Amino acid sequence: MGEFAALLDLNLRQLSAVLSTGRLSLEELEQNQCIGLIELLTMRLIDECEELSAEDWVVCSAAIDYVFCVAEKRKSIDHEEGAIRRLNISAALLRRVAPRSEVDLLAPGHVVDLLLRELPMSVDEARDMAARWQSLEIDQIRRLRLMKNLLSPVFGISDVIPRHIYDSGLKAWMGIFSSLP
């Protein structure tokens, strides 16, 4: 508990600096503390995002990556929840600050790549299943719902996604988004 309490007292830049090195052994934290750390870092990052320098962004992005990696490794969150949370963080940030290609959290291309990697099926398969979702088994409906949860944050920032990336990766998904359960 002492290590976690000490982390809570750090400001965003201090916390990010400690976490970005990957040297802090978060494996000693309890599972719920890993979630708490993700939420603390996310909250502080979104609250202070407009004040960060280019160097701060690199450090904060590395800190986010490290915390999610540890939380997934410790099974505090599963991979799908981690992806949804990462996409939501990027979406929240991109509604407040300009895109930055050198920072994964703020790079629309990276955000779309993450989304497309995590979608559990093709757009054609999703379109077919979405048209008859009420007759599907619960596991299939959950997969469709997962897709909607992955797509939602990205569609909320579609105006900052370059047209060529949008057209090549997202346009087809936009057409079926509203039919997903």
Side-chain angles (χ1 to χ4, degrees):
M1 180 65 180
E3 187 172 19
F4 182 69
L7 293 173
L8 296 177
D9 291 334
L10 301 176
N11 66 35
L12 173 64
R13 287 169 181 84
Q14 294 167 331
L15 181 60
S16 295
V18 168
L19 296 173
S20 68
T21 64
R23 291 187 297 236
L24 181 64
S25 176
L26 296 181
E27 285 81 8
E28 296 175 18
L29 297 178
E30 296 174 15
Q31 285 186 330
N32 64 340
Q33 291 174 330
C34 286
I35 296 283
L37 202 50
I38 286 173
E39 292 177 358
L40 176 67
L41 186 57
T42 299
M43 178 190 66
R44 289 187 180 164
L45 182 58
I46 292 169
D47 286 347
E48 299 177 37
C49 66
E50 295 165 310
E51 303 161 15
L52 298 177
S53 69
E55 297 80 23
D56 290 335
W57 276 114
V58 171
V59 174
C60 290
S61 185
I64 288 281
D65 286 344
Y66 180 66
V67 170
F68 273 96
C69 180
V70 169
E72 286 180 32
K73 185 175 157 184
R74 297 273 332 272
K75 302 204 184 317
S76 297
I77 59 174
D78 63 28
H79 181 75
E80 292 158 342
E81 181 183 351
I84 292 167
R85 283 177 178 251
R86 285 174 183 254
L87 291 167
N88 277 302
I89 291 168
S90 289
L93 292 170
L94 286 166
R95 283 192 284 275
R96 298 185 70 180
V97 298
R100 298 177 82 116
S101 61
E102 71 278 9
V103 178
D104 287 348
L105 287 171
L106 302 177
H110 178 78
V111 173
V112 171
D113 287 346
L114 172 61
L115 167 67
L116 295 176
R117 260 193 330 268
E118 298 302 325
L119 290 170
M121 66 183 74
S122 72
V123 70
D124 291 332
E125 184 181 4
R127 183 181 296 112
D128 176 59
M129 289 177 68
R132 53 187 177 83
W133 74 266
Q134 289 140 328
S135 65
L136 298 175
E137 294 181 22
I138 193 73
D139 287 341
Q140 293 171 309
I141 295 170
R142 284 187 182 128
R143 283 180 61 210
L144 290 174
R145 188 65 194 162
L146 167 64
M147 290 190 339
K148 191 164 195 170
N149 289 338
L150 288 164
L151 290 162
S152 291
V154 177
F155 287 146
I157 57 164
S158 61
D159 58 324
V160 300
I161 296 172
R163 191 75 185 163
H164 70 280
I165 294 173
Y166 179 84
D167 287 345
S168 67
L170 294 179
K171 192 174 186 178
W173 286 104
M174 183 64 92
I176 67 161
F177 180 75
S178 63
S179 64
L180 295 170

